[in-house]
Amino acid sequence: MSAETTDAAEPARDTPGAADPAERRRQQRGWYFYDFACSVYSTSVVTVFLGPYLTSVAKAAADADGYVRPLGIPIRAGSLFAYTISASLVVAVILMPIVGAAADRTGRKKPLLAAAAYVGATATAAMFFLDGTRYLLGAFLLIVANAAISVSMVLYNAYLPQISEPDERDAVSSRGWAFGYTSGALVLVLNLVLYTGHDSFGLSESDAVRICLASAGVWWGAFTVVPLRRLRDRQVAPGHGAVGSGWGQLMATLRDMRRHPLTLSFLLAYLVYNDGVQTVISQASVYGSEELGLDQTTLITAVLLVQILAVAGALGMGRLARVYGAKRTILASLVVWTLILVAGYFLPADAPVFFYALAAAIGLVLGGSQALSRSLYSHLVPRGKEAEYFSAYEMSDRGLSWLGPLVFGLAYQLTGSYRDAIISLVIFFVAGSVLLARVQVRRAVTAAGNPVPERI
């Protein structure tokens, strides 16, 4: 059986990456394609189409007062999407440590990655059947797909030390990120063609949206074949790890962080402001559609603009960080995020040009604020504990971003205004800025036993 198709586990090695450079590059190329596969879900489904569409389905099922009642609980139809995103991330928080521990125990990350990817892809493809008043079906499929992609990303990221040497990880990680943005932009262009020309294709607007949703699942599943053929698992020593040890390791890491309180303080600040970032991204289309009255074409092109400018923004903020330091640059980006929300609150309805300007501002700070946060955190991690500390970081990044959508949903639930809901997110950026400003990063780097960069 060829190396491409075998599922046999490799023997464990002492070196962090695959020993053969050619084999390592081959696995890296396969690894990039999982980001290429699944990023379409994040852009087309979560960021663009599903929020406004699920909200419209919920409104069709709502009573005269505008409420739907899943399990007898009264929920404003306009809050359903935000609540569902929050619920999906709670499910992800429960599953990620368990699945991660199972991968550590067995050394079989690839079958678990396949399971998570195809559960998510199948749930996304099944969104084709979301029509009429089937808001409960939509909420269920969103919870399954969103939890599945979070679990799959933990497994995907766990391959990075295995397929790359320490001095090439930044480049490998960046290429995967670039592959994801490329696929997201490409599929959004195809979505735009289908959506704007749905009449010429003999489709209704609803049909076009459901095809766009389902096609993201098909794309996700189809391109996942590439990493599954290229990546190889390794054998682990008998008795290594145990299901349930994921939570134990996470708790042990958090206890160890008490000996590095400045590192823990940074992680808390990141958790708060990143929650705001993720919520703005996931709820922007709902806000644009429901509050500003913008059509789907405007929303798609705005997200395309974000995708393109995020790369330029990350590079530009990287240059600023070399001059002013990462902490100051991140703090400046959080000020911009706050101004974006204030501007969004006052944004006039039916004015796409202003929405595009806001999308451009988001793109310029989105990639940079996240990339610099990760690099700054890497300086605060004690030597020899990189894997476990970045596991806690991954939980903060992927698994704990449920509070923002909950706040957004509650604000709309209580006020009936999306403007009040969007401005409520300012608290995450203000609180995150205050917490980050209090972190003495030079002392934190020294306390972690790392050399202090000239600019940080």
Side-chain angles (χ1 to χ4, degrees):
M1 186 175 291
S2 70
E4 280 197 5
T5 57
T6 183
D7 282 330
E10 292 180 348
R13 293 188 176 99
D14 294 330
T15 55
D20 178 15
E23 172 63 16
R24 190 166 68 245
R25 286 192 296 271
R26 180 179 169 281
Q27 292 194 52
Q28 288 168 6
R29 288 191 291 268
W31 186 79
Y32 301 148
F33 268 92
Y34 188 67
D35 223 325
F36 190 85
C38 70
S39 290
V40 172
Y41 167 82
S42 299
T43 52
S44 290
V45 177
V46 176
T47 306
V48 177
F49 286 107
L50 188 57
Y53 187 69
L54 182 58
T55 300
S56 69
V57 172
K59 285 184 174 181
D63 59 22
D65 296 321
Y67 286 84
V68 290
R69 302 180 185 275
L71 304 176
I73 302 170
I75 294 176
R76 279 189 187 270
S79 294
L80 179 72
F81 179 69
Y83 285 156
T84 306
I85 288 285
S86 185
S88 71
L89 293 171
V90 171
V91 174
V93 167
I94 295 170
L95 292 177
M96 283 194 294
I98 297 172
V99 175
D104 287 342
R105 178 176 61 85
T106 64
R108 306 283 286 179
K109 293 188 290 290
K110 188 158 67 171
L112 293 170
L113 175 61
Y118 283 108
V119 165
T122 301
T124 305
M127 291 177 185
F128 178 80
F129 301 103
L130 175 59
D131 60 359
T133 59
R134 296 177 177 176
Y135 74 93
L136 283 176
L137 174 64
F140 172 74
L141 293 175
L142 175 56
I143 288 172
V144 172
N146 222 37
I149 196 170
S150 296
V151 169
S152 73
M153 289 305 293
V154 170
L155 299 163
Y156 167 72
N157 289 335
Y159 274 104
L160 184 58
Q162 179 177 317
I163 64 172
S164 58
E165 301 293 344
D167 61 354
E168 62 182 355
R169 278 178 207 159
D170 287 345
V172 171
S173 178
S174 297
R175 289 187 197 110
W177 183 77
F179 264 59
Y181 271 93
T182 299
S183 72
L186 173 61
V187 174
L188 275 179
V189 170
L190 298 176
N191 291 159
L192 182 61
V193 171
L194 177 65
Y195 182 81
T196 55
H198 62 80
D199 286 334
S200 61
F201 291 111
L203 300 170
S204 68
E205 182 177 336
S206 174
D207 289 339
V209 171
R210 291 188 296 115
I211 290 172
C212 289
L213 292 171
S215 65
V218 174
W219 181 285
W220 184 359
F223 283 101
T224 294
V225 171
V226 180
L228 293 181
R229 287 176 63 86
R230 294 272 178 117
L231 294 172
R232 300 189 66 188
D233 284 331
R234 297 180 177 182
Q235 294 174 351
V236 297
H240 174 70
V243 175
S245 66
W247 278 105
Q249 181 62 67
L250 180 62
M251 293 301 103
T253 301
L254 293 176
R255 286 194 296 270
D256 186 72
M257 279 187 177
R258 294 170 62 183
R259 299 192 300 110
H260 300 280
L262 294 174
T263 301
L264 185 58
S265 296
F266 173 81
L267 191 62
L268 177 61
Y270 173 74
L271 187 156
V272 173
Y273 69 73
N274 182 63
D275 203 348
V277 170
Q278 298 302 324
T279 306
V280 172
I281 297 305
S282 68
Q283 303 303 318
S285 289
V286 174
Y287 184 72
S289 173
E290 297 297 317
E291 185 65 38
L292 303 181
L294 302 176
D295 59 34
Q296 200 73 57
T297 301
T298 301
L299 298 178
I300 296 171
T301 50
V303 173
L304 268 173
L305 185 62
V306 170
Q307 296 282 107
I308 295 168
L309 290 180
V311 177
L315 296 174
M317 286 181 63
R319 293 192 181 96
L320 288 174
R322 287 196 292 272
V323 177
Y324 300 104
K327 177 184 172 181
R328 288 181 180 178
T329 307
I330 295 170
L331 285 170
S333 78
L334 298 182
V335 172
V336 175
W337 276 109
T338 302
L339 294 176
I340 286 170
L341 290 178
V342 173
Y345 179 81
F346 292 106
L347 212 62
D350 300 315
V353 65
F354 292 108
F355 192 73
Y356 287 141
L358 217 57
I362 289 174
L364 289 174
V365 293
L366 174 62
S369 58
Q370 293 179 319
L372 289 179
S373 295
R374 181 169 61 181
S375 61
L376 179 55
Y377 180 72
S378 69
H379 292 288
L380 312 184
V381 175
R383 290 186 180 183
K385 296 186 176 182
E386 291 85 359
E388 59 183 273
Y389 270 61
F390 267 100
S391 176
Y393 184 86
E394 180 68 20
M395 286 288 288
S396 298
D397 187 30
R398 280 261 167 195
L400 298 182
S401 296
W402 55 269
L403 185 58
L406 181 61
V407 168
F408 185 94
L410 283 173
Y412 182 78
Q413 174 94 358
L414 296 173
T415 67
S417 168
Y418 281 107
R419 294 186 186 272
D420 291 340
I422 202 73
I423 202 67
S424 70
L425 301 178
V426 165
I427 187 63
F428 291 95
F429 296 103
V430 173
S433 297
V434 171
L435 291 170
L436 178 58
R438 292 170 60 88
V439 178
Q440 301 175 42
V441 292
R442 289 187 175 275
R443 283 184 54 193
V445 175
T446 302
N450 296 319
V452 181
E454 182 180 349
R455 292 287 184 183
I456 192 168

